[in-house]
């Protein structure tokens, strides 16, 4: 009974904790990335989105996220709250998956609870909470660790995965890859788990062959899927490696530079991590795992290393881009905290020891989360707030347009070079036949005589759209 109360109390605490720190994201509006992603998904046939999730192709970009956008839009329309609410549901599920997987790996509730707490919120990962353009990372985390939970649970029960088990595992792996390319590391994650927790009995050829046939099944399945995915994405003119920002630079300098930037995000630093400090931390964590002879620490170290590998050779991105990597850090920190505090808290009953550690970590993190969150929230909401104001100003002058209408904006508050206004008008009216032209996007502004071919013409001044011409 006491265990159940503590379990439910911890779950309630995590829910309140997450909503208190990140819940304001439910009030956020659509960002520019949201509008672009949503419009791309909405303007693509559903059958094509579904087919892209089944057949890997270099011409498609993260099709599972596109299918997510299309599904929510079909059910809820152009409502930012609905999109953020569904994204938050996945974030809650990711916290739960973290708890389940860590408990499977360690067998300790307190370690699992602390890891879930560490994963639940990071102010530098602010896009996860305020911008559903980060849904690709959220979905990738969900399916990546759902696949590991499925696999690890089978192995912890002493089972060798059969065809049915591997089919489910393969489906989750494909979904993770369809969400984001980082899921190619799932092969190494499964292989690391098998080598550390269920290594071959000996180095004899017969034993190694038996291990490969049994313990190597999951890694083999994930490896074949990842190879097919990588081949489809890396070959041809539409290959993702040819896209701006996705062309890798395979050098030690780029890897160290990216690692320093991401470590600053994880630890709330501003340039503190030099190359030497980043390398010292990485090697120190490995040495500590070796000295402690801890399979859990070693697995966590391998996981945080392999999951970030695809990001190290690209231009550094926002913290949310390494959301999938956060699990390895949380597992390492939680396992280490549990091991170090066991002697210090030995005078407490076993049930209270975990609660004390959990609350102590929360108390330590809270002021840092609050302080950093004050800065990151403003930067995350600025673009969306501007688009919200544009949408409200447009609604005031004309909430909707007749099908096929041609609309000219002589001036508007959106910067040139982006199509946010066209996305906003068509999505809010749910009408792809609307023609939206902006003088900002034209080589030269049309003369007033040229306005005749437009059904509606608007100017913008003082935060308001002014209707210059109407039918």
């Amino acid at each position: 009974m006491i265990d159940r109360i503590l379990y439910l109390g911890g779950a309630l605490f995590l829910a309140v904790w997450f909503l208190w720190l990140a819940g304001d994201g439910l009030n956020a509006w659509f960002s520019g990335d949201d509008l672009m992603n949503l419009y791309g998904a909405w303007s693509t046939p559903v059958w094509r989105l579904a087919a892209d999730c089944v057949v890997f192709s270099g011409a498609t970009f993260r099709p599972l996220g596109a299918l997510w956008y299309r599904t929510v839009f079909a059910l809820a329309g152009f409502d930012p709250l609905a999109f953020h609410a569904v994204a938050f549901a996945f974030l809650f599920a990711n916290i739960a998956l973290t708890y389940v997987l860590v408990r499977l790996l360690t067998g300790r509730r307190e370690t699992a609870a602390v890891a879930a707490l560490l994963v639940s919120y990071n102010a530098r990962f602010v896009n996860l909470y305020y911008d559903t353009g980060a849904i690709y990372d959220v979905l990738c985390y969900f399916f990546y660790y759902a696949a590991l939970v499925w696999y690890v649970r089978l192995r912890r029960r002493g089972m060798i995965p059969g065809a049915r088990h591997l089919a489910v595992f393969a489906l989750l792996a494909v979904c993770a890859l369809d969400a984001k390319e980082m899921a190619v590391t799932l092969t190494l994650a499964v292989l690391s788990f098998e080598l550390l927790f269920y290594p071959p009995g000996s180095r004899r050829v017969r034993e190694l062959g038996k291990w490969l046939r049994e313990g190597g099944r999951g890694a083999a399945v994930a490896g074949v899927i990842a190879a097919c995915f990588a081949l489809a994405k890396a070959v041809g003119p539409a290959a993702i490696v040819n896209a701006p920002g996705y062309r890798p630079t395979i050098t030690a300098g780029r890897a160290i530079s990216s690692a320093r930037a991401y470590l600053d995000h994880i630890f709330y630093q501003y340039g503190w991590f030099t190359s030497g400090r980043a390398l010292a931390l990485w090697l120190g964590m490995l040495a500590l795992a070796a000295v402690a002879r801890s399979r859990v620490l070693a697995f966590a170290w391998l996981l945080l290393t392999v999951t970030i590998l695809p990001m190290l050779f690209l231009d550094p991105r926002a913290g949310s881009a390494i959301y999938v990597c956060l699990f390895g850090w949380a597992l390492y920190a939680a396992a280490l905290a549990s091991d170090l505090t066991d002697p210090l808290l030995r005078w407490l009953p076993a049930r209270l020891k975990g609660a004390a550690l959990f609350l102590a970590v929360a108390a330590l993190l809270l002021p840092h989360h609050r302080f950093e969150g004050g800065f990151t929230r403003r930067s995350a909401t600025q673009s969306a707030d501007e688009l919200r104001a544009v949408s409200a100003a447009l609604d005031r002058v004309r909430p909707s347009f007749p099908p096929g209408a041609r609309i000219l904006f002589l001036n508007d508050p959106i910067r040139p070079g982006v199509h946010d206004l066209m996305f906003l008008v068509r999505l809010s009216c749910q009408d792809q036949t609307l023609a939206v032209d902006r003088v900002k996007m034209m080589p030269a502004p049309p003369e007033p005589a040229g306005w005749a071919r437009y059904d509606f013409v608007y100017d913008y001044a003082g935060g308001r759209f002014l209707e210059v011409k109407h039918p």
Side-chain angles (χ1 to χ4, degrees):
M1 183 64 179
I2 295 177
D3 288 341
R4 186 175 181 83
I5 292 174
L6 288 174
Y7 180 81
L8 293 176
L12 179 61
F13 181 94
L14 275 173
V16 173
W17 166 274
F18 176 68
L19 288 175
W20 182 32
L21 292 170
D24 187 50
L26 290 168
N27 299 317
W29 213 71
F30 293 112
S31 69
D33 282 346
D34 278 330
L35 296 179
M36 176 182 67
N37 297 335
L38 175 55
Y39 186 81
W42 176 56
S43 57
T44 303
V46 175
W47 67 266
R48 179 61 184 271
L49 294 177
D52 289 341
C53 289
V54 177
V55 180
F56 296 140
S57 169
T60 60
F61 182 74
R62 301 173 183 173
L64 189 67
L67 190 60
W68 180 88
Y69 272 107
R70 182 63 178 267
T71 302
V72 179
F73 189 61
L75 295 174
F78 194 62
D79 181 3
L81 176 59
F83 283 84
H84 286 286
V86 178
F88 266 56
F90 275 99
L91 288 168
F92 273 115
N94 289 346
I95 297 171
L97 280 173
T98 301
Y99 177 89
V100 172
L101 182 54
V102 174
R103 188 171 178 190
L104 285 170
L105 291 168
T106 65
R108 303 184 63 172
R109 289 183 176 180
E110 65 271 20
T111 305
V114 171
L117 178 71
L118 293 172
V119 160
S120 64
Y121 179 80
N122 184 306
R124 296 284 185 89
F125 291 29
V126 65
N127 288 352
L128 297 175
Y129 324 120
Y130 288 91
D131 184 355
T132 54
I135 194 62
Y136 308 103
D137 301 281
V138 176
L139 293 174
C140 185
Y141 190 107
F142 176 81
F143 287 104
Y144 191 104
Y145 292 107
L148 279 180
V149 165
W150 175 259
Y151 186 85
V152 172
R153 176 171 285 167
L154 289 171
R155 299 296 281 134
R156 285 308 205 195
R157 291 176 177 175
M159 300 172 61
I160 303 298
R164 181 177 63 85
H165 303 130
L166 292 174
V168 174
F169 175 75
L171 176 62
L172 294 170
V174 168
C175 289
L177 285 166
D178 283 336
K180 193 172 182 182
E181 303 77 26
M182 292 177 72
V184 294
T185 61
L186 184 60
T187 305
L188 295 176
V190 174
L191 185 61
S192 299
F193 170 77
E194 286 289 348
L195 288 172
L196 286 168
F197 292 91
Y198 302 97
S202 70
R203 296 183 180 179
R204 295 178 180 176
V205 174
R206 185 174 180 179
E207 285 293 327
L208 289 174
K210 180 182 178 183
W211 181 84
L212 288 172
R213 289 192 303 272
E214 297 179 355
R217 292 180 182 183
V221 169
V224 170
I225 295 172
C228 294
F229 176 86
L231 185 64
K233 297 294 183 180
V235 176
I240 190 172
V241 294
N242 296 325
Y246 290 91
R247 186 184 298 276
T249 303
I250 314 296
T251 65
R254 168 53 60 84
I256 290 293
S257 175
S258 297
R260 288 165 49 190
Y262 291 131
L263 286 172
D264 279 343
H265 287 315
I266 292 171
F267 291 97
Y268 289 161
Q269 296 299 317
Y270 294 88
W272 186 85
F273 279 99
T274 61
S275 299
R277 287 171 176 171
L279 192 60
L281 175 63
W282 185 67
L283 294 176
M285 292 172 68
L286 174 61
L288 183 58
V291 170
R293 296 186 176 181
S294 169
R295 294 178 179 180
V296 172
L297 291 181
F299 179 67
W301 184 88
L302 284 170
L303 197 57
L304 66 88
T305 301
V306 301
T307 50
I308 203 171
L309 275 177
M311 303 299 298
L312 292 182
F313 302 102
L314 302 175
D315 295 335
R317 286 158 167 75
S320 57
I322 58 164
Y323 179 46
V324 172
C325 312
L326 196 57
F327 177 90
W329 288 96
L331 173 60
Y332 194 103
L336 183 61
S338 296
D339 291 342
L340 293 178
T341 55
D342 274 345
L344 300 177
L345 301 176
R346 61 181 180 273
W347 49 275
L348 282 175
R351 293 187 180 98
L352 296 180
K353 186 186 300 184
L357 175 61
F358 180 81
L359 293 175
V361 173
L364 181 65
L365 291 175
L366 183 60
H368 299 287
H369 286 336
R370 297 286 290 174
F371 179 78
E372 289 290 330
F375 295 105
T376 57
R377 180 194 174 280
R378 288 192 291 271
S379 63
T381 57
Q382 182 178 357
S383 171
D385 288 344
E386 291 171 354
L387 288 171
R388 188 205 302 262
V390 172
S391 178
L394 195 56
D395 282 344
R396 282 194 294 268
V397 67
R398 183 167 293 276
S400 63
F401 296 94
R406 298 183 60 83
I407 310 156
L408 173 66
F409 290 91
L410 301 175
N411 190 22
D412 63 77
I414 297 176
R415 70 184 189 278
V418 297
H419 300 282
D420 291 353
L421 188 57
M422 184 266 286
F423 297 151
L424 192 157
V425 171
R426 289 185 176 178
L427 287 168
S428 61
C429 296
Q430 298 191 33
D431 185 355
Q432 297 183 44
T433 67
L434 298 176
V436 180
D437 290 335
R438 303 167 60 202
V439 169
K440 284 185 176 181
M441 303 283 280
M442 295 179 175
E447 298 295 331
W451 297 357
R453 63 191 184 95
Y454 291 98
D455 302 307
F456 302 90
V457 179
Y458 295 98
D459 200 355
Y460 183 84
R464 300 182 64 184
F465 282 105
L466 308 173
E467 192 163 1
V468 179
K469 173 185 178 296
H470 59 84

